[in-house]
PDB file of all heavy atoms in Angstrom:
ATOM      1  N   GLY Q 136    -107.642  12.025  92.007  1.00 95.00           N
ATOM      2  CA  GLY Q 136    -108.436  11.747  93.207  1.00 95.00           C
ATOM      3  C   GLY Q 136    -108.652  13.097  93.939  1.00 95.00           C
ATOM      4  O   GLY Q 136    -108.689  13.074  95.153  1.00 95.00           O
ATOM      5  N   CYS Q 137    -108.732  14.187  93.167  1.00 95.00           N
ATOM      6  CA  CYS Q 137    -108.630  15.508  93.719  1.00 95.00           C
ATOM      7  C   CYS Q 137    -109.738  15.836  94.746  1.00 95.00           C
ATOM      8  O   CYS Q 137    -109.610  16.705  95.586  1.00 95.00           O
ATOM      9  CB  CYS Q 137    -108.739  16.504  92.611  1.00 95.00           C
ATOM     10  SG  CYS Q 137    -107.807  16.082  91.104  1.00 95.00           S
ATOM     11  N   GLY Q 138    -110.939  15.151  94.666  1.00 94.00           N
ATOM     12  CA  GLY Q 138    -111.991  15.435  95.528  1.00 94.00           C
ATOM     13  C   GLY Q 138    -111.821  14.838  96.962  1.00 94.00           C
ATOM     14  O   GLY Q 138    -112.514  15.216  97.849  1.00 94.00           O
ATOM     15  N   THR Q 139    -110.869  13.915  97.075  1.00 94.00           N
ATOM     16  CA  THR Q 139    -110.687  13.250  98.321  1.00 94.00           C
ATOM     17  C   THR Q 139    -109.240  13.289  98.781  1.00 94.00           C
ATOM     18  O   THR Q 139    -108.680  12.298  99.242  1.00 94.00           O
ATOM     19  CB  THR Q 139    -111.119  11.735  98.175  1.00 94.00           C
ATOM     20  OG1 THR Q 139    -110.556  11.184  96.972  1.00 94.00           O
ATOM     21  CG2 THR Q 139    -112.632  11.583  98.136  1.00 94.00           C
ATOM     22  N   GLY Q 140    -108.605  14.390  98.507  1.00 90.00           N
ATOM     23  CA  GLY Q 140    -107.183  14.563  98.813  1.00 90.00           C
ATOM     24  C   GLY Q 140    -106.922  14.692 100.316  1.00 90.00           C
ATOM     25  O   GLY Q 140    -107.835  14.940 101.031  1.00 90.00           O
ATOM     26  N   PRO Q 141    -105.687  14.480 100.804  1.00 95.00           N
ATOM     27  CA  PRO Q 141    -104.536  14.036  99.900  1.00 95.00           C
ATOM     28  C   PRO Q 141    -104.634  12.583  99.599  1.00 95.00           C
ATOM     29  O   PRO Q 141    -105.109  11.774 100.417  1.00 95.00           O
ATOM     30  CB  PRO Q 141    -103.360  14.297 100.777  1.00 95.00           C
ATOM     31  CG  PRO Q 141    -103.828  14.353 102.132  1.00 95.00           C
ATOM     32  CD  PRO Q 141    -105.247  14.755 102.144  1.00 95.00           C
ATOM     33  N   VAL Q 142    -104.194  12.209  98.407  1.00 96.00           N
ATOM     34  CA  VAL Q 142    -104.251  10.803  98.031  1.00 96.00           C
ATOM     35  C   VAL Q 142    -102.863  10.223  97.744  1.00 96.00           C
ATOM     36  O   VAL Q 142    -101.955  11.015  97.535  1.00 96.00           O
ATOM     37  CB  VAL Q 142    -105.147  10.575  96.706  1.00 96.00           C
ATOM     38  CG1 VAL Q 142    -106.529  11.049  96.900  1.00 96.00           C
ATOM     39  CG2 VAL Q 142    -104.469  11.224  95.528  1.00 96.00           C
ATOM     40  N   CYS Q 143    -102.733   8.949  97.896  1.00 96.00           N
ATOM     41  CA  CYS Q 143    -101.484   8.310  97.520  1.00 96.00           C
ATOM     42  C   CYS Q 143    -101.733   6.894  97.034  1.00 96.00           C
ATOM     43  O   CYS Q 143    -102.855   6.348  97.172  1.00 96.00           O
ATOM     44  CB  CYS Q 143    -100.518   8.270  98.767  1.00 96.00           C
ATOM     45  SG  CYS Q 143    -101.095   7.144 100.057  1.00 96.00           S
ATOM     46  N   MET Q 144    -100.697   6.378  96.405  1.00 96.00           N
ATOM     47  CA  MET Q 144    -100.790   4.961  95.940  1.00 96.00           C
ATOM     48  C   MET Q 144     -99.746   4.193  96.679  1.00 96.00           C
ATOM     49  O   MET Q 144     -98.588   4.658  96.796  1.00 96.00           O
ATOM     50  CB  MET Q 144    -100.617   4.792  94.488  1.00 96.00           C
ATOM     51  CG  MET Q 144    -101.780   5.273  93.643  1.00 96.00           C
ATOM     52  SD  MET Q 144    -101.544   5.081  91.912  1.00 96.00           S
ATOM     53  CE  MET Q 144    -101.842   3.320  91.753  1.00 96.00           C
ATOM     54  N   ILE Q 145     -99.987   3.003  97.141  1.00 95.00           N
ATOM     55  CA  ILE Q 145     -98.934   2.102  97.709  1.00 95.00           C
ATOM     56  C   ILE Q 145     -99.072   0.853  96.821  1.00 95.00           C
ATOM     57  O   ILE Q 145    -100.060   0.188  96.837  1.00 95.00           O
ATOM     58  CB  ILE Q 145     -99.155   1.781  99.154  1.00 95.00           C
ATOM     59  CG1 ILE Q 145     -99.202   3.113  99.918  1.00 95.00           C
ATOM     60  CG2 ILE Q 145     -98.031   0.875  99.703  1.00 95.00           C
ATOM     61  CD1 ILE Q 145     -99.310   2.995 101.439  1.00 95.00           C
ATOM     62  N   ASN Q 146     -97.973   0.650  96.088  1.00 94.00           N
ATOM     63  CA  ASN Q 146     -98.030  -0.392  94.974  1.00 94.00           C
ATOM     64  C   ASN Q 146     -99.249  -0.108  94.158  1.00 94.00           C
ATOM     65  O   ASN Q 146     -99.408   0.994  93.662  1.00 94.00           O
ATOM     66  CB  ASN Q 146     -97.910  -1.768  95.539  1.00 94.00           C
ATOM     67  CG  ASN Q 146     -96.572  -2.056  96.198  1.00 94.00           C
ATOM     68  OD1 ASN Q 146     -95.604  -1.277  95.960  1.00 94.00           O
ATOM     69  ND2 ASN Q 146     -96.463  -3.039  97.037  1.00 94.00           N
ATOM     70  N   ASP Q 147    -100.165  -1.079  94.040  1.00 93.00           N
ATOM     71  CA  ASP Q 147    -101.322  -0.842  93.138  1.00 93.00           C
ATOM     72  C   ASP Q 147    -102.544  -0.336  93.905  1.00 93.00           C
ATOM     73  O   ASP Q 147    -103.591  -0.150  93.307  1.00 93.00           O
ATOM     74  CB  ASP Q 147    -101.679  -2.144  92.422  1.00 93.00           C
ATOM     75  CG  ASP Q 147    -100.723  -2.332  91.210  1.00 93.00           C
ATOM     76  OD1 ASP Q 147     -99.957  -1.446  90.890  1.00 93.00           O
ATOM     77  OD2 ASP Q 147    -100.864  -3.424  90.561  1.00 93.00           O
ATOM     78  N   ASP Q 148    -102.390  -0.164  95.188  1.00 93.00           N
ATOM     79  CA  ASP Q 148    -103.582   0.293  95.984  1.00 93.00           C
ATOM     80  C   ASP Q 148    -103.679   1.807  96.111  1.00 93.00           C
ATOM     81  O   ASP Q 148    -102.700   2.481  96.383  1.00 93.00           O
ATOM     82  CB  ASP Q 148    -103.558  -0.353  97.370  1.00 93.00           C
ATOM     83  CG  ASP Q 148    -103.676  -1.893  97.300  1.00 93.00           C
ATOM     84  OD1 ASP Q 148    -104.342  -2.354  96.285  1.00 93.00           O
ATOM     85  OD2 ASP Q 148    -103.074  -2.630  98.091  1.00 93.00           O
ATOM     86  N   PHE Q 149    -104.906   2.269  95.957  1.00 95.00           N
ATOM     87  CA  PHE Q 149    -105.146   3.720  96.033  1.00 95.00           C
ATOM     88  C   PHE Q 149    -105.709   4.062  97.419  1.00 95.00           C
ATOM     89  O   PHE Q 149    -106.574   3.379  97.867  1.00 95.00           O
ATOM     90  CB  PHE Q 149    -106.170   4.037  94.928  1.00 95.00           C
ATOM     91  CG  PHE Q 149    -106.547   5.516  94.786  1.00 95.00           C
ATOM     92  CD1 PHE Q 149    -105.590   6.427  94.489  1.00 95.00           C
ATOM     93  CD2 PHE Q 149    -107.852   5.900  95.003  1.00 95.00           C
ATOM     94  CE1 PHE Q 149    -105.946   7.823  94.399  1.00 95.00           C
ATOM     95  CE2 PHE Q 149    -108.244   7.223  94.881  1.00 95.00           C
ATOM     96  CZ  PHE Q 149    -107.276   8.193  94.586  1.00 95.00           C
ATOM     97  N   HIS Q 150    -105.151   5.073  98.039  1.00 95.00           N
ATOM     98  CA  HIS Q 150    -105.677   5.522  99.329  1.00 95.00           C
ATOM     99  C   HIS Q 150    -106.116   6.978  99.229  1.00 95.00           C
ATOM    100  O   HIS Q 150    -105.416   7.822  98.757  1.00 95.00           O
ATOM    101  CB  HIS Q 150    -104.542   5.404 100.389  1.00 95.00           C
ATOM    102  CG  HIS Q 150    -104.114   3.984 100.532  1.00 95.00           C
ATOM    103  ND1 HIS Q 150    -104.663   3.094 101.433  1.00 95.00           N
ATOM    104  CD2 HIS Q 150    -103.095   3.295  99.892  1.00 95.00           C
ATOM    105  CE1 HIS Q 150    -103.990   1.951 101.347  1.00 95.00           C
ATOM    106  NE2 HIS Q 150    -103.093   2.034 100.430  1.00 95.00           N
ATOM    107  N   GLU Q 151    -107.343   7.218  99.794  1.00 94.00           N
ATOM    108  CA  GLU Q 151    -107.862   8.612  99.753  1.00 94.00           C
ATOM    109  C   GLU Q 151    -107.932   9.194 101.157  1.00 94.00           C
ATOM    110  O   GLU Q 151    -107.927   8.484 102.099  1.00 94.00           O
ATOM    111  CB  GLU Q 151    -109.284   8.516  99.167  1.00 94.00           C
ATOM    112  CG  GLU Q 151    -109.393   7.971  97.758  1.00 94.00           C
ATOM    113  CD  GLU Q 151    -110.801   7.673  97.340  1.00 94.00           C
ATOM    114  OE1 GLU Q 151    -111.311   6.595  97.679  1.00 94.00           O
ATOM    115  OE2 GLU Q 151    -111.404   8.572  96.732  1.00 94.00           O
ATOM    116  N   GLU Q 152    -108.093  10.489 101.161  1.00 94.00           N
ATOM    117  CA  GLU Q 152    -108.217  11.236 102.440  1.00 94.00           C
ATOM    118  C   GLU Q 152    -107.237  10.738 103.494  1.00 94.00           C
ATOM    119  O   GLU Q 152    -107.588  10.368 104.633  1.00 94.00           O
ATOM    120  CB  GLU Q 152    -109.631  11.215 102.952  1.00 94.00           C
ATOM    121  CG  GLU Q 152    -110.612  11.962 102.080  1.00 94.00           C
ATOM    122  CD  GLU Q 152    -112.058  11.835 102.473  1.00 94.00           C
ATOM    123  OE1 GLU Q 152    -112.450  10.790 103.070  1.00 94.00           O
ATOM    124  OE2 GLU Q 152    -112.825  12.793 102.144  1.00 94.00           O
ATOM    125  N   VAL Q 153    -105.952  10.698 103.090  1.00 94.00           N
ATOM    126  CA  VAL Q 153    -104.912  10.133 103.919  1.00 94.00           C
ATOM    127  C   VAL Q 153    -104.446  11.208 104.960  1.00 94.00           C
ATOM    128  O   VAL Q 153    -103.491  11.938 104.651  1.00 94.00           O
ATOM    129  CB  VAL Q 153    -103.751   9.569 103.106  1.00 94.00           C
ATOM    130  CG1 VAL Q 153    -102.863   8.774 103.993  1.00 94.00           C
ATOM    131  CG2 VAL Q 153    -104.251   8.736 101.963  1.00 94.00           C
ATOM    132  N   GLY Q 154    -105.120  11.254 106.054  1.00 90.00           N
ATOM    133  CA  GLY Q 154    -104.636  12.132 107.132  1.00 90.00           C
ATOM    134  C   GLY Q 154    -103.424  11.559 107.757  1.00 90.00           C
ATOM    135  O   GLY Q 154    -103.212  10.374 107.686  1.00 90.00           O
ATOM    136  N   THR Q 155    -102.591  12.421 108.314  1.00 88.00           N
ATOM    137  CA  THR Q 155    -101.314  11.848 108.909  1.00 88.00           C
ATOM    138  C   THR Q 155    -101.619  10.896 110.049  1.00 88.00           C
ATOM    139  O   THR Q 155    -100.799   9.978 110.321  1.00 88.00           O
ATOM    140  CB  THR Q 155    -100.420  13.021 109.361  1.00 88.00           C
ATOM    141  OG1 THR Q 155    -101.265  13.897 110.165  1.00 88.00           O
ATOM    142  CG2 THR Q 155     -99.786  13.748 108.295  1.00 88.00           C
TER     143      THR Q 155
END
Side-chain angles (χ1 to χ4, degrees):
Chain Q
C137 320
T139 47
V142 302
C143 70
M144 287 181 77
I145 304 182
N146 294 342
D147 279 355
D148 295 329
F149 180 63
H150 299 271
E151 301 168 274
E152 292 176 332
V153 191
T155 46

